[in-house]
Amino acid sequence: MTRMRAAVRPPLLPAMNRVLAAAAAFAFTIAATFAAAGLTAPGRTAAGPAASSGAFAAGLWPPAPGPPAPEPPAPERAAAAHLAVGRAVAAHQAAVTRAQQERVLRYWTPTRMAAARTAAPVRLASPDKTTPPTRATRASAAHTAEDIGPMAATAPHLLPLTPRAAPSTAAAVSPNTETAGWPGGGAVARTTGKVFFTMTGQAFVCSASSVTSANADVVITAAHCVKDGNRTWATNWEFVPGFTNGSRPYGTWTARQFFLAPQWIRTGNDNDDVAFVTLNPQRARGVTVHIGQVVGGQAIAFGARLAREYAFGYPAEPPYDGTDLYYCSGPTSPDSFHSSKDTGLQCDMTAGSSGGPWLSSFDSATGRGIITSVNSFKYTTDRSTLYGPRLGVVAQALFDRAQDS
């Protein structure tokens, strides 16, 4: 009997091995099919075909769940989120062709620019946000185009031969929570400028700042200075850096393209009240010149914590008239009404200052700092606090698209 068992068992082993191998191959095929379809077999984990077939061969059904896949490092997650946001950037063309640019420049005659006055303070929001204001009140309405007068044939917009050098103002500048006229001087007097544009037949004014960028064409402003809550895009948009009492020492620059967050377009979310605008270069003495080559640009930071800021702009609602650059400075605080993620700064600037830059690490001697926000809104119950959105991953995506355009 012992010999018979010994004689019988060897022939059975190859057969059993073939059966096991066939079963394992079958399991591998089934698992691979489920995996290709993005599914898992009933009662199984998504461990993959190789792990499933191995578990089957070891006699485990269902297999023990494997360890979860490691989460990508934080920088990779941030990069993926940034990429996803960047793909959703809303872009809109402004004046692209030479004819369109000339039409904008002809539209803004000195008379029209002088007549542009605000109709309401910096956009006012109710603390409970139950009655959101229209975007027109955010941007500073002016007279209608029909009330301003005939269009002139031309408008002065040539570049100066040599940008003016301003004296140091370190001794004249001090932190202040009440708006004061900028005593003049430094890079901020060149990079900050006044914005003129129209919406639905009305003239508006805002503020903006040139930003250091790859294409030397980018300025930053508030989103409501580019598009209102009625899905109306701005037209006749132009930037006048260094604007002072009607003078345009560094020329007049037309908008080429606007870049906004889709969240702003859908809901007018205060957290996304920021826009980047690319400007058309100009021709001077047969050479193409960009805004950054004429006035320079302020540095910009994303994800920075706002502590002590300098806010600049051209307030045009009384007691101001929009003819000169003003500023506030001081410590910041969170939104006291908890209705936004914006940061507050004690400042009594009014409409027309919307879109003006907030500068961290500001050096009053050089007029340079780092842009961390822009003037956005005030609450109806607290007109002494000016709020600005934080520049995060969404704003960075907008900036990247603008400087690469």
Side-chain angles (χ1 to χ4, degrees):
M1 292 293 293
T2 301
R3 285 193 297 272
M4 286 184 65
R5 289 194 186 102
V8 171
R9 290 179 65 183
L12 290 175
L13 289 174
M16 293 178 65
N17 287 337
R18 287 195 296 272
V19 170
L20 288 173
F26 177 75
F28 183 95
T29 302
I30 293 298
T33 302
F34 275 91
L39 305 171
T40 57
R44 307 202 48 183
T45 63
S52 299
S53 60
F56 183 90
L60 301 176
W61 188 272
E71 189 176 24
E76 293 184 13
R77 294 198 305 273
H82 188 181
L83 179 61
V85 173
R87 288 173 176 167
V89 169
H92 181 78
Q93 288 188 339
V96 179
T97 67
R98 175 59 61 181
Q100 291 171 336
Q101 297 169 35
E102 290 295 338
R103 186 159 53 246
V104 173
L105 294 171
R106 288 195 303 270
Y107 180 86
W108 287 110
T109 65
T111 300
R112 278 185 167 145
M113 295 173 74
R117 293 289 184 268
T118 62
V122 172
R123 187 192 66 84
L124 298 177
S126 57
D128 59 5
K129 300 297 180 71
T130 56
T131 54
T134 63
R135 296 310 169 201
T137 61
R138 301 184 70 145
S140 311
H143 300 292
T144 61
E146 291 75 15
D147 295 335
I148 295 177
M151 182 183 300
T154 60
H157 57 272
L158 297 178
L159 300 174
L161 298 181
T162 304
R164 298 182 303 182
S168 170
T169 59
V173 177
S174 60
N176 64 295
T177 57
E178 294 185 357
T179 304
W182 182 247
V188 71
R190 301 188 305 271
T191 57
T192 310
K194 192 167 181 176
V195 172
F196 297 85
F197 61 99
T198 58
M199 281 184 185
T200 61
Q202 286 189 308
F204 293 80
V205 291
C206 272
S207 303
S209 174
S210 174
V211 183
T212 299
S213 60
N215 57 12
D217 287 335
V218 180
V219 297
I220 186 173
T221 188
H224 70 262
C225 298
V226 169
K227 191 176 188 303
D228 70 7
N230 298 319
R231 298 186 178 182
T232 300
W233 289 92
T235 56
N236 298 315
W237 203 100
E238 69 176 24
F239 175 65
V240 185
F243 182 91
T244 304
N245 198 25
S247 69
R248 293 178 265 183
Y250 306 106
T252 304
W253 304 76
T254 59
R256 180 171 74 246
Q257 197 166 17
F258 305 130
F259 298 90
L260 302 178
Q263 298 92 317
W264 170 262
I265 294 177
R266 290 195 298 267
T267 65
N269 192 322
D270 290 318
N271 302 324
D272 297 301
D273 189 15
V274 60
F276 289 92
V277 182
T278 53
L279 305 179
N280 292 298
Q282 297 188 17
R283 297 285 293 177
R285 295 180 176 177
V287 178
T288 299
V289 182
H290 301 264
I291 182 70
Q293 296 172 315
V294 177
V295 301
Q298 298 286 358
I300 190 167
F302 302 95
R305 292 188 61 184
L306 280 65
R308 181 171 291 276
E309 306 292 319
Y310 278 73
F312 291 85
Y314 287 84
E317 180 74 5
Y320 312 104
D321 59 8
T323 58
D324 295 289
L325 181 64
Y326 285 81
Y327 80 105
C328 295
S329 64
T332 62
S333 60
D335 185 343
S336 58
F337 295 99
H338 308 291
S339 295
S340 73
K341 296 180 180 179
D342 287 22
T343 301
L345 174 68
Q346 291 296 302
C347 181
D348 65 358
M349 279 198 289
T350 58
S353 66
S354 290
W358 287 26
L359 298 173
S360 292
S361 303
F362 183 71
D363 183 347
S364 58
T366 63
R368 293 194 174 278
I370 302 172
I371 296 176
T372 53
S373 185
V374 295
N375 302 325
S376 176
F377 74 94
K378 288 185 174 182
Y379 286 110
T380 54
T381 55
D382 179 16
R383 303 197 183 198
S384 64
T385 305
L386 178 62
Y387 287 90
R390 297 181 181 181
L391 304 185
V393 65
V394 174
Q396 186 172 359
L398 300 178
F399 174 68
D400 288 347
R401 282 286 301 275
Q403 71 170 346
D404 290 340
S405 67

